[in-house]
Amino acid sequence: MLKDSFFYTYFRSLRVVDKQVSLVDNDLLKFVKLEELVLSANQIKEIDTTNLPPTLKVLELYGNKMTSMECLCTCPPPRLQHLGLGHNKLLGPLESLYVTSDYWPNLISLDLSFNDLTDLQGMVSGLRTLRRLRLLVLQGNPLALVPCYRGFIIDGLSGLCVLDDITVAPSEKHLFRGLSHSGDLLAHEARLVVTVGHVRGVLDSSVLDPEPGPQGPFITYRYYVTYEFVEDEEGEGDEYGRVLAEIVKPPPSTEQLGEVIPKEPIKEAEDSVGPGLASQSQSGELEESGASAPLPRPTDSAEELAKLRPRLDPRLWPSPGTVLFSTVRKPWSDVIPCNYEMQHVLKDLVRLKAFLLSGTTVTIVEEKILSWPAVPPSPNSPSAAKKGKGEKDKKGKEKDKEEKDKKGKDGKDKAGKGEKEPAKEQKGSKKKKELRKDLRQDPPVLRVLGSGPVDLEPLLSGEPFMSTVCNFGVVRTLETDRLTLYRDSKKNKSEKAKNAALEARKSKTKLPAASVYESDYRPDPLTVEIQIQLIQGHSTEEALRRLVP
């Protein structure tokens, strides 16, 4: 039978992981030869170091609830070589006072990753006293988001061999030489650049709309991408407010627009797609009216804006603590180039870290605007009277023409009379177009085509750049793509496209490309390209160059 004395003197390593431990008592001192103690993923808030064996060389407290290192400095193990405090809640500038050689004279490795440490200069000043320190992990802290982070530490800790699991190269020591002496001049703020690339696979909703009549409505579609980003309370709140207002503020109810010419009818294409198109159009309208609503009018206070929030699609409203940014509205095309780039400068690094952990949301939005004639023509208006008089004169001339035909006038006179009629018709159509010069717009109707989260945690884990393609699935259909193909073929000026469209109209059959669509139809999914870069300094010269306005 084993005795207790043998049991306590035998073990050199003790691991108690994820066991809801919250207290370390003096029974731990019975392990007289204990060198490694792992108490990760527990509920520990403080540790009485007088209860730790003095023989400890490794102490790991990852994933607990510690808010300060002060409790560890009461009577720290003198032989400790590795201290792991990652994924805790260490916060405040005073933490740099507890990482000095006064408490950890033999420390070789220190892991303080994924806490809320913000004082880079103070931390380097304390760590500089640890002469034996060779491995350091600080990634995941707000202080690691500033551009000069890596260079400042490498130059300040000359004996460091590995920083954030990346070996310190001799070239880095050369490039960042002297940077630690300019700490007071460096800006302690993070810079991130968001780029929105191409949008693909968007459904062309305009092919499902009926042709507008003389009195409208004339429908236009625009597409844009929105994303959430953290609001910096210390920095540019006013500028962000203007961006938000741009999204939730509707355009004026009346706006002067240029001349609008209705699209040509696509009757032949409708015949080729069959009855399935009508149900598709109806379902699209229902989806639009159910998923979105007209935007509210501009408000003078945040409280009034908050009251209107239920009227908006939740996906069109930013999460608490974030601001909604959007690209420029673009018309439909098979590939919509957003060409959007925005640099975000943030001083509140703790809020930025929390935002990167939670991620952002990217949304593709369709904006539909109905335009109407500003002043509908009245039957008693002068233009209408002139029109009636013109029709009366036209009928009189036609009657005279018939009488002249009966009297046996020659064909030349008939031809001369016939050439003037189309000119008058063109003149009349021109007058109709002039009536549509001034249009009023309804508030835009927004419809979310696709929305989804984007993981930003790699930027906290040391990755300076992340790129992804958000895939929201297929929203296009065979019928709508064939209508779009037919419309584009009519706009194409090449003789080949004209002949193909002419043959399709004569035969009243499906388009030549329809067989290709049906046999091998693979529409592109709705996607958008997103890139986010965390700006990092690559040399002392580059870091100091940013100081010059």
Side-chain angles (χ1 to χ4, degrees), residues 263-435:
K263 300 176 183 178
E264 296 181 7
I266 49 175
K267 183 177 180 181
E268 292 83 357
E270 291 177 355
D271 294 338
S272 65
V273 299
L277 177 61
S279 60
Q280 179 70 25
S281 175
Q282 292 174 1
S283 62
E285 289 297 326
L286 290 174
E287 180 181 357
E288 180 175 359
S289 60
S292 60
L295 290 175
R297 296 184 179 277
T299 57
D300 297 329
S301 66
E303 295 180 358
E304 295 179 3
L305 188 61
K307 293 178 181 178
L308 296 174
R309 180 174 178 176
R311 297 175 57 187
L312 296 172
D313 189 312
R315 294 170 292 182
L316 296 173
W317 193 267
S319 302
T322 64
V323 178
L324 205 61
F325 290 82
S326 76
T327 64
V328 177
R329 276 74 168 163
K330 293 290 185 72
W332 182 91
S333 64
D334 195 41
V335 178
I336 302 176
C338 293
N339 299 327
Y340 175 90
E341 184 175 288
M342 178 72 175
Q343 178 172 277
H344 299 269
V345 181
L346 299 109
K347 296 181 180 179
D348 192 341
L349 302 179
V350 176
R351 288 171 60 88
L352 176 59
K353 177 206 167 184
F355 169 73
L356 295 178
L357 284 174
S358 61
T360 186
T361 300
V362 175
T363 304
I364 301 177
V365 184
E366 176 190 82
E367 181 184 73
K368 177 181 179 181
I369 298 179
L370 279 70
S371 302
W372 309 80
V375 181
S378 174
N380 299 325
S381 63
S383 59
K386 290 181 180 179
K387 182 178 178 182
K389 184 178 180 181
E391 292 178 353
K392 186 176 181 181
D393 294 341
K394 184 177 178 182
K395 290 181 180 179
K397 290 182 180 180
E398 289 179 354
K399 188 175 181 180
D400 294 340
K401 182 181 176 182
E402 292 177 359
E403 291 178 356
K404 290 180 180 180
D405 290 342
K406 291 179 181 179
K407 293 180 180 179
K409 291 289 182 180
D410 57 2
K412 291 183 180 180
D413 293 337
K414 293 180 182 179
K417 298 278 184 181
E419 288 174 358
K420 293 180 182 179
E421 291 299 325
K424 292 180 180 179
E425 290 179 1
Q426 290 178 0
K427 188 175 181 181
S429 62
K430 186 176 181 181
K431 289 182 179 179
K432 291 181 181 179
K433 291 181 181 179
E434 289 177 355
L435 294 175

Side-chain angles (χ1 to χ4, degrees), residues 428-459:
S429 62
K430 186 176 181 181
K431 289 182 179 179
K432 291 181 181 179
K433 291 181 181 179
E434 289 177 355
L435 294 175
R436 294 193 295 270
K437 280 187 177 180
D438 298 335
L439 299 176
R440 60 177 177 84
Q441 289 186 349
D442 288 349
V445 179
L446 304 183
R447 181 163 70 109
V448 174
L449 301 181
S451 182
V454 175
D455 182 22
L456 302 180
E457 191 170 351
L459 296 174

